[in-house]
Amino acid sequence: MTDLSHLARQVEQLTNAKVLCIGDVMLDRFVYGSVNRISPEAPIPVIRVERESAMLGGAGNVARNATALGASVQFLTLVGDDLPGREVMEYVANDKGVEPYIQTERNRPTTIKTRYIASGQQLLRSDNETTSDITPATISNLSTLAGQLAPDVAAIILSDYGKGVLHADVVAAAINAARKAGKPVIVDPKGSDYTIYRGATVVTPNRAEAQAATGIAVNSDEEAVAAATKIITECGIDNVLLTRSQDGMTLVTKDGEAIHLPTEAREVFDVSGAGDTVVACLASAVAAGSSLADAARIANVAAGIVVGKIGTAIVYPDELVSALHHHDLMIGEAKLMPLDRMVDRAERWRRKGYKVGFTNGCFDLLHPGHLSLLKQARANCDRLIVGLNSDASVKRLKGESRPVQSEAARAAVLGSLETVSGVVIFGEDTPINLIEAIKPDILVKGADYTIDKVVGADIVQSYGGKVVLANLEDGFSTTSTIARMNEGNS
């Protein structure tokens, strides 16, 4: 039996991890809309675009996953001298856990993958990219930086998407520098020739990639071991972690040991980016001091979590710890979370086709008026996020005697309500920062306001969102309830 508490403690150590990620970055764009008709020009659906979003993909998603787990990342990659390349740089710069070493090459477009989605279904993906060789000068720069950076980290990730960054010379420079410094190299491979990764500590092919590299169909534990062993013996790689979709993972070491890990997935919505999560988690855990076997177990749990999300998603330490302790709550069902987690949750809800609503308040001593507001708010959306004033902000707004209940107690009560899908605590006097970050489709406030007085109404309306004024229940307020209580004690 795996000591889950032992693994959970190792997850807590991921904040000590320092990794170098080298590979092909790309921009993942998502275009969301609705389809109500077929084009008269051709038998194709017409998507009415409602909103767009973008995030880092490829090696950028590996870096995102590593920093989400708490690791610090040095990121070596290449972009084109174009607007998407500058957008990639901006996303990287906004991730405080990443130290960027981004090279630029003229006349080479930054890779963009655009997905068109309606009603939670992907209709089309378009790729704007080149896989031609990078210039000798760029190869030299990347190789030099790889050699210089490798000794300063605890593990190196090579995230190969076949877009040119991991030229054979760059790979060799990274692996040679890492071996001299005694640092492990974890590779998410591409193509069928794994001899390019000779000297790597571990490669993480999926079932199809392993078959392409070895010619062995991977449909059983025995075949997985055979394919992994062939890679080890013929390609000069120490270990293989073979990911096998619904069959979990198989770790085969250079000593011939084989560990089969059953899948941890409870629901599978989207497998895109799962390989990024595996390699990021594996490398971060090894960098934090975990054995390769324990790191593989943690990565297996992380993969089970991320395939339950939509799009190129990431995994957080608390999700890992919860899963390792076999909590009965489905991943992500805990309602109270920080803003960055809530933004991620709201985005995933929208990708499933749900309308996200938002309301806010102090909710001190929950009463029927509060319940009515929340019920009306939920009736206008599919998922309702509640912004909850912190204790400090309630005190500023309501006076020194407030709140009666702590923010933790108020959040727990709100989270117990069926109408509430998520709770995020904010310390400012207004929820404007939450609204800007979450971008709700529906903003709800009590009818004692007019729309022009609702904080954030202009922001929500600017991207086509709706502002709803909920009817108020007369005779209910926390202030009057406290006053009546004080009268009874006088």
Side-chain angles (χ1 to χ4, degrees), residues 28 30 55-58 61 64-65 115 161 270 272-274 276-277 306 309-314 344 351:
D28 280 347
F30 298 87
M55 64 180 65
L56 294 175
N61 190 44
R64 287 178 64 232
N65 269 272
R115 297 165 176 87
Y161 273 82
D270 194 340
S272 61
D276 297 335
T277 299
V306 80
K309 301 181 179 183
I310 302 293
T312 47
I314 53 181
D344 179 64
R351 290 180 193 171

Side-chain angles (χ1 to χ4, degrees), residues 247-265:
D247 295 322
M249 298 182 182
T250 294
L251 174 65
V252 179
T253 71
K254 59 183 177 182
D255 298 324
E257 181 184 9
I259 301 173
H260 301 290
L261 304 172
T263 182
E264 295 286 344

